[in-house]
Amino acid sequence: MERIEKLINPHILSLQAYSSARSESNLKEGIFLDANENPFGNFNRYPDGNQNELKNILSKQLNISKSNLFLGNGSDEAIDLLIRIFCNQKEDKIGIFSPTYGMYQVSAAINNVDIEEYYLNENFEILEETLKEIISNKNLKILFICSPNNPTGNCIKESKIDFLLENFKGIVVVDEAYIDFSSKDSFVKKVEKFQNLVVLQTLSKSWGMAGLRIGLAVSNPLIISFLNKIKPPYNISLESQKKAIEILKNKKVFEKNINKILNQKEELKKELSGLSFVEKIFPSEANFLLIKCKNSEKIYQELIENKIIIRNRNSQIKDCLRISIGTKQENKILIQKLKEIDEKGIVY
Ligand SMILES: *Cc1c(COP(=O)(O)O)cnc(C)c1O
């Protein structure tokens, strides 16, 4: 782990973490007069800052040890904390593979860290020459690889990520926000093998808990310990932890909903391919479809006027729209409207 320690910002490496009242006593029951809480009310007590019960369930599900698991206020929190742990504002950069999820760049900018932007090829895959460039770039500290990628929907080839894990000297973050919708394997099982790997997952998408704000980082115990050291002490609320524990216990509902979403994705694909203005439907391992259209701006606006909101990605990928998979009823209304747009010929 010496290699990883060398990558950590010196001021973080020597940081004395905040010690909260509850973590010092470590008692679960008793008369609590240690944290200046109000003795009245239903939400008067601070939540478990270590999220022990929630971590018990999640670590069992992922077949990892609790020391391999960090929980953040959404995986967006983990993205920010990783940049703060590893990147020095003056010389370090993060590497991103565009088009991709926007938060890596925003988090870097907030932390005054520069980015190195590599472009994916026409199939949204990492280029061979990009791999070489990355290995020789001395300023790169973290790579953020989103797989399945948002907004393109495809997974990045496992062999390319493996190459980077083996040859890149910095940290490789694999963001698996959509992995439960995918047929591909998670990188979680590779955390034992590669010291420089951090896998991000979230309860926001496949588990349908975006409103609770719970994200996961899976890595070796050293990196996890630093994420825990620098996070706000009570980063996940009491109610969020409680609700998540409740929902996670019902794996049947989770599986049923994923199946529904995947079936609807196939249905939507079929319907979209029948529209004259749809030029391409990109392969998707996620709960959304990216489509290339004639006059995408017009279609986007027309849908908005009918209170159907999809994501306009035209600025990122020319003429492309991203559509999240909704319920059967929602998708039906969307298709109905798109057929109307097609029949009226208003895109031409
Ligand atoms: C939605 C999304 C996230 C955000 O997850 P939160 O846990 O809700 O913060 C992270 N990464 C990608 C690629 C996403 O699309």
Side-chain angles (χ1 to χ4, degrees):
M1 286 297 155
E2 225 176 289
R3 169 190 164 197
I4 302 299
E5 276 187 4
K6 279 195 184 122
L7 294 169
I8 295 175
N9 271 323
H11 71 284
I12 299 290
L13 202 55
S14 62
L15 182 79
Q16 192 66 45
Y18 175 74
S19 177
S20 66
R22 209 49 45 81
S23 67
E24 280 176 17
S25 80
N26 225 354
L27 275 182
K28 290 212 167 53
E29 273 173 88
I31 299 171
F32 288 110
L33 305 172
D34 58 344
N36 297 345
E37 294 154 332
N38 190 315
F40 308 110
N42 295 320
F43 303 103
N44 56 330
R45 300 296 174 190
Y46 280 103
D48 175 8
N50 298 318
Q51 304 110 13
N52 277 307
E53 205 183 333
L54 184 51
K55 275 185 192 159
N56 284 340
I57 297 178
L58 286 167
S59 58
K60 210 182 275 171
Q61 242 177 44
L62 290 167
N63 199 17
I64 52 171
S65 148
K66 257 162 95 176
S67 62
N68 293 115
L69 180 62
F70 165 82
L71 297 183
N73 197 268
S75 43
D76 285 349
E77 183 177 33
I79 294 169
D80 173 67
L81 297 181
L82 285 165
I83 293 173
R84 289 205 244 168
I85 290 172
F86 292 107
C87 294
N88 170 320
Q89 298 175 347
K90 285 193 195 74
E91 56 230 36
D92 297 338
K93 290 183 178 186
I94 67 157
I96 61 168
F97 302 88
S98 294
T100 192
Y101 185 50
M103 265 322 274
Y104 315 132
Q105 185 160 7
V106 170
S107 262
I110 291 169
N111 289 297
N112 203 15
V113 167
D114 284 338
I115 60 157
E116 197 72 68
E117 189 173 21
Y118 299 102
Y119 290 92
L120 299 169
N121 71 12
E122 69 278 7
N123 300 318
F124 303 126
E125 189 53 71
I126 300 176
L127 288 155
E128 288 295 336
E129 61 241 50
T130 300
L131 297 178
K132 282 183 212 132
E133 266 180 62
I134 288 169
I135 302 311
S136 61
N137 189 333
K138 295 267 177 302
N139 297 320
L140 276 180
K141 210 64 177 289
I142 311 179
L143 301 174
F144 284 93
I145 303 173
C146 189
S147 182
N149 188 27
N150 175 7
T152 63
N154 63 303
C155 285
I156 303 297
K157 253 204 194 116
E158 188 174 359
S159 59
K160 298 203 174 172
I161 302 177
D162 282 344
F163 175 87
L164 290 169
L165 284 167
E166 270 158 21
N167 295 285
F168 176 59
K169 296 282 178 277
I171 303 295
V172 178
V173 178
V174 180
D175 186 344
E176 296 187 334
Y178 300 96
I179 193 69
D180 295 331
F181 299 106
S182 166
S183 56
K184 302 283 194 303
D185 282 344
S186 165
F187 272 72
V188 161
K189 62 185 184 308
K190 299 196 184 191
V191 158
E192 291 287 321
K193 184 171 173 198
F194 298 108
Q195 292 183 357
N196 58 342
L197 171 61
V198 180
V199 180
L200 301 181
Q201 291 191 0
T202 178
L203 301 187
S204 294
K205 311 284 163 58
S206 61
W207 278 99
M209 299 188 221
L212 298 186
R213 310 305 306 127
I214 299 172
L216 294 71
V218 182
S219 188
N220 63 68
L222 180 75
I223 292 180
I224 295 300
S225 74
F226 279 95
L227 283 167
N228 282 324
K229 218 171 178 181
I230 75 167
K231 80 178 177 70
Y234 305 109
N235 59 334
I236 300 176
S237 82
L238 188 80
E239 282 300 283
S240 285
Q241 292 187 48
K242 248 209 281 206
K243 281 282 169 213
I245 289 164
E246 205 179 292
I247 297 168
L248 283 164
K249 283 180 179 159
N250 206 337
K251 195 98 201 244
K252 280 225 174 74
V253 172
F254 165 78
E255 277 159 7
K256 206 172 80 191
N257 289 342
I258 287 195
N259 278 330
K260 277 188 195 165
I261 291 166
L262 293 180
N263 286 335
Q264 278 303 302
K265 183 166 76 171
E266 290 312 307
E267 198 61 36
L268 198 59
K269 244 198 269 183
K270 231 188 302 172
E271 295 284 1
L272 286 169
S273 63
L275 298 167
S276 77
F277 53 76
V278 174
E279 295 179 326
K280 182 158 188 176
I281 304 166
F282 291 93
S284 166
E285 301 258 357
N287 66 334
F288 56 81
L289 287 171
L290 185 76
I291 60 170
K292 186 169 188 283
C293 289
K294 285 200 178 73
N295 211 343
S296 59
E297 289 286 344
K298 179 84 189 168
I299 292 162
Y300 175 75
Q301 285 308 333
E302 199 71 24
L303 288 177
I304 287 272
E305 274 162 36
N306 287 280
K307 295 206 169 78
I308 300 172
I309 307 107
I310 62 170
R311 196 85 199 262
N312 187 356
R313 298 280 74 186
N314 183 34
S315 60
Q316 233 186 342
I317 318 166
K318 199 170 158 30
D319 291 330
C320 282
L321 302 168
R322 193 193 67 193
I323 306 171
S324 309
I325 310 301
T327 63
K328 192 176 177 135
Q329 184 61 15
E330 287 170 334
N331 296 336
K332 205 173 120 192
I333 297 169
L334 167 74
I335 286 296
Q336 226 166 24
K337 194 41 71 183
L338 287 172
K339 279 183 175 162
E340 257 176 61
I341 293 172
D342 206 11
E343 279 156 20
K344 283 193 208 148
I346 50 182
V347 300
Y348 299 100

